[in-house]
Amino acid sequence: MLFNVYPLYDIEPVRAQGSYLWDTKGDRYLDLYGGHAVISVGHTHPRYVRALTEQLNRISFYSNSVRIRQQEELSEKLGELSGYPDYALFLCNSGAEANENALKLASFHTGRKNVVAFKKSFHGRTAGAVAATDNPAIVAPVNYNEHVTFLPFNDVEAALAGITDQTCAVIIEGIQGVGGIQVATDEFLQALRRKCDETGAILILDGVQCGYGRSGKFFSHQFSGITPDLITTAKGMGNGFPIGGVLISPKFNASYGLLGTTFGGNHLACTAGIAVLDIMKDENLIENAAQMGEYVMNGIRQIGGYKDLRGRGLMIGIEYDFPVETLRNSLLFEHHIFTGVAGKNTIRLLPSLALGREEVDVFLEALSKEVRVIS
């Protein structure tokens, strides 16, 4: 028996290709959610499948006590494509674990413990990460969080007052996902960078959901021109294979035992990560995310009927002045389109970066029909 933690739709996908899923009944669904932004290069991309299959036939796992060539290749390719070739890479298994280790690194480096996070933030469900998440419902009594201060998102004045020489780290999503696709302004990120420099605090950019090309740049904070001290990543990194990582500024010194992991950086995970980067580069998927994102948002603007439209690239939030559960269910069950939500009033779109115009048009036609019905 499974522990009952998720409300489930009575749909069982058994096959997937590109931006589509098929269920046990043979019905096809357009996937505009990618399993929480995980599917970055499309379902079962043949190059991805081939790479994992070949690696599985060679060796799937050994511990980090030996040299794993794929770790080095992944680090080099990630540094090159992301624009951070001088940053070191620590590999782990998930976004929560990446944020956990980033916070730990910051605390080791500064000798401090106070953390600044932001309203509506989501950084994971493990002890340190959930303490910096603005959702009391998922913070257990054992999750110590008295050291965390939550400041208003995009409020420069509050940030300048709230970050002090006692602050260990400032952790922020470049675009809040669970928080409703709230985009950090360039001015806000630049102010955080300056204040961290003044106080010695470590600036952590959580790119778990908004990274890996989703915004139209490799990391969404790159629109602002800032350079964080630590950057966390996961979700789209393995296109479905569990993998996460922390990109670490040269200001940090490594030492044996400082960080560790059993499964992080295993042969299969790194092979998945390498395949994703190669596909993203060779198929120009970051550029496609920027172009298709603008195409989607222009189409939504023409349909209208929303309260607010937010996002960058293929990370899009459509906020309405009514609860969107009925709209989401209509898109899913009447039109066979998977979307997500953020809160009660926002539809969240997180499709593959390989999304095409034909798929976008299918969605826009369905959305237009349902918005007319509701309004």
Side-chain angles (χ1 to χ4, degrees):
M1 178 186 298
L2 294 174
F3 197 53
N4 189 15
V5 295
Y6 295 112
L8 300 179
Y9 290 116
D10 189 20
I11 299 171
E12 183 183 354
V14 293
R15 185 167 66 90
Q17 182 68 53
S19 292
Y20 289 96
L21 305 165
W22 287 261
D23 68 7
T24 51
K25 301 174 184 177
D27 293 331
R28 188 179 78 161
Y29 294 81
L30 175 59
D31 182 13
L32 297 185
Y33 195 57
H36 304 298
V38 167
I39 301 301
S40 50
V41 299
H43 292 281
T44 61
H45 191 291
R47 189 169 174 181
Y48 173 86
V49 172
R50 183 170 60 252
L52 279 170
T53 302
E54 291 173 354
Q55 183 60 52
L56 186 60
N57 283 323
R58 289 192 295 267
I59 179 174
S60 62
F61 175 82
Y62 203 72
S63 78
N64 283 294
S65 61
V66 299
R67 180 176 179 180
I68 299 174
R69 178 191 56 78
Q70 291 88 342
Q71 292 182 356
E72 299 169 14
E73 183 179 354
L74 176 59
S75 176
E76 291 174 5
K77 288 185 173 180
L78 176 54
E80 177 189 355
L81 194 60
S82 70
Y84 286 95
D86 59 335
Y87 276 45
L89 176 64
F90 173 73
L91 289 164
C92 52
N93 307 287
S94 69
E97 193 177 332
N99 285 329
E100 197 85 18
N101 281 284
L103 289 165
K104 185 191 295 186
L105 269 175
S107 188
F108 275 134
H109 185 78
T110 63
R112 307 172 188 173
K113 66 179 181 181
N114 295 331
V115 172
V116 167
F118 297 92
K119 297 291 185 179
K120 297 185 178 181
S121 62
F122 186 93
H123 297 293
R125 295 177 181 270
T126 53
V130 80
T133 291
D134 185 27
N135 182 355
I138 65 171
V139 180
V142 73
N143 298 132
Y144 168 82
N145 66 353
E146 287 81 359
H147 62 301
V148 181
T149 300
F150 292 97
L151 300 178
F153 192 74
N154 276 337
D155 186 329
V156 172
E157 185 176 346
L160 294 179
I163 302 168
T164 73
D165 59 7
Q166 297 300 307
T167 302
C168 163
V170 176
I171 184 167
I172 183 170
E173 301 155 88
I175 304 174
Q176 291 184 332
V178 175
I181 315 298
Q182 308 291 338
V183 181
T185 66
D186 296 345
E187 178 190 15
F188 188 57
L189 292 178
Q190 290 162 6
L192 295 183
R193 179 68 276 176
R194 289 194 302 271
K195 190 64 175 179
C196 285
D197 288 339
E198 292 172 9
T199 60
I202 298 301
L203 181 58
I204 304 171
L205 258 293
D206 178 344
V208 169
Q209 188 171 134
C210 61
Y212 254 75
R214 179 153 298 281
S215 66
K217 289 187 180 292
F218 198 94
F219 292 114
S220 65
H221 68 260
Q222 290 171 314
F223 285 96
S224 70
I226 68 159
T227 301
D229 301 306
L230 299 168
I231 307 165
T232 59
T233 182
K235 292 194 184 295
M237 192 174 183
N239 201 53
F241 198 99
I243 183 172
V246 186
L247 280 75
I248 304 168
S249 161
K251 73 166 59 175
F252 293 86
N253 295 318
S255 62
Y256 295 141
L258 186 70
L259 302 177
T261 174
T262 295
F263 298 107
N266 67 72
H267 294 79
L268 280 177
C270 288
T271 298
I274 292 165
V276 166
L277 290 171
D278 287 344
I279 294 166
M280 287 175 62
K281 180 179 180 181
D282 294 345
E283 298 186 7
N284 298 311
L285 294 190
I286 298 176
E287 294 85 349
N288 188 69
Q291 294 166 6
M292 286 300 100
E294 189 59 32
Y295 185 62
V296 174
M297 294 182 81
N298 282 338
I300 295 169
R301 291 186 187 103
Q302 291 176 18
I303 294 168
Y306 55 82
K307 179 181 177 181
D308 194 18
L309 178 62
R310 300 183 293 270
R312 273 177 166 154
L314 288 175
M315 188 171 184
I316 297 170
I318 320 167
E319 183 178 349
Y320 294 94
D321 58 7
F322 54 81
V324 295
E325 182 179 5
T326 298
L327 174 57
R328 184 193 190 190
N329 287 342
S330 295
L331 289 169
L332 179 57
F333 294 110
E334 300 296 327
H335 301 276
H336 287 185
I337 300 174
F338 274 97
T339 63
V341 296
K344 293 184 177 180
N345 290 59
T346 301
I347 292 286
R348 183 162 44 143
L349 304 180
L350 301 165
S352 157
L353 308 188
L355 188 72
R357 285 184 176 239
E358 180 180 342
E359 290 84 12
V360 174
D361 290 341
V362 168
F363 166 70
L364 293 174
E365 182 178 352
L367 181 67
S368 177
K369 178 180 178 180
E370 294 304 325
V371 168
R372 286 199 304 268
V373 170
I374 292 172
S375 60

